[in-house]
Amino acid sequence: MTSFYWSVQTTTTIGYGDIDIPFGLRYFQIFYLVIATYFVGNALGRAGNIKEEILDVRRQHAWRRREISKGMIQEMQAPGLHSENCQVDQYEFVVASLVTLGKVTADDITPIMDKFRKLAGKKGYIELEDEMAEREQVENE
């Protein structure tokens, strides 16, 4: 018990080594210091996250207030797809919104879109028949 008490005192940097605590209070003090250390660490961690939470709220507020414009449509369009018109489909809107809100980055989206373009080819969409034909081709090789 004495060594456990000493280790808790040392790790919590309280360091009561010079004060003689009655043996019965050591149990309470060990429990109290462990719980207190947890709560102080938790509070400091939350205080550190406040800046990120404020930025997240600001991004969401700006996204909600944003009005439709030609610039917005052009920003939301997937490169290489629908670039000749001023239309955004629901998937382009979702991806662009997630990037704007900081939920994902463009670097997260790029490999996914590269795979889509590889699978879709020039058509711009993927069909089940294409997938089945590709599997048969791989199996025949």
Side-chain angles (χ1 to χ4, degrees):
M1 176 61 192
T2 302
S3 59
F4 185 62
Y5 169 76
W6 176 83
S7 66
V8 170
Q9 293 299 322
T10 303
T11 57
T12 58
T13 67
I14 301 297
Y16 288 138
D18 57 342
I19 299 174
D20 189 23
I21 304 285
F23 193 78
L25 286 178
R26 290 182 181 186
Y27 288 110
F28 169 75
Q29 194 166 16
I30 289 170
F31 173 75
Y32 176 77
L33 289 175
V34 169
I35 298 298
T37 302
Y38 166 77
F39 282 111
V40 168
N42 190 17
L44 291 174
R46 288 178 184 257
N49 287 336
I50 287 175
K51 183 177 181 182
E52 187 61 36
E53 289 177 15
I54 289 171
L55 288 174
D56 191 39
V57 169
R58 285 182 179 169
R59 277 189 225 113
Q60 289 181 9
H61 180 68
W63 179 80
R64 284 188 195 113
R65 293 186 59 216
R66 191 167 184 191
E67 297 290 330
I68 188 101
S69 68
K70 185 174 182 179
M72 179 178 138
I73 299 296
Q74 289 173 344
E75 288 174 14
M76 288 186 169
Q77 286 182 331
L81 299 176
H82 312 297
S83 57
E84 68 281 350
N85 61 27
C86 286
Q87 295 177 350
V88 172
D89 65 24
Q90 64 184 355
Y91 303 107
E92 290 173 322
F93 181 80
V94 168
V95 169
S97 295
L98 289 172
V99 170
T100 301
L101 291 170
K103 303 296 182 184
V104 295
T105 65
D107 292 336
D108 296 332
I109 302 296
T110 300
I112 296 169
M113 291 305 298
D114 289 344
K115 182 174 182 176
F116 172 79
R117 288 185 188 105
K118 179 182 174 191
L119 293 172
K122 293 181 181 180
K123 294 185 294 185
Y125 58 90
I126 302 170
E127 289 182 299
L128 181 60
E129 294 171 3
D130 294 340
E131 179 65 27
M132 299 303 280
E134 186 177 315
R135 284 187 187 175
E136 287 177 13
Q137 186 179 20
V138 170
E139 289 174 1
N140 291 336
E141 291 177 358

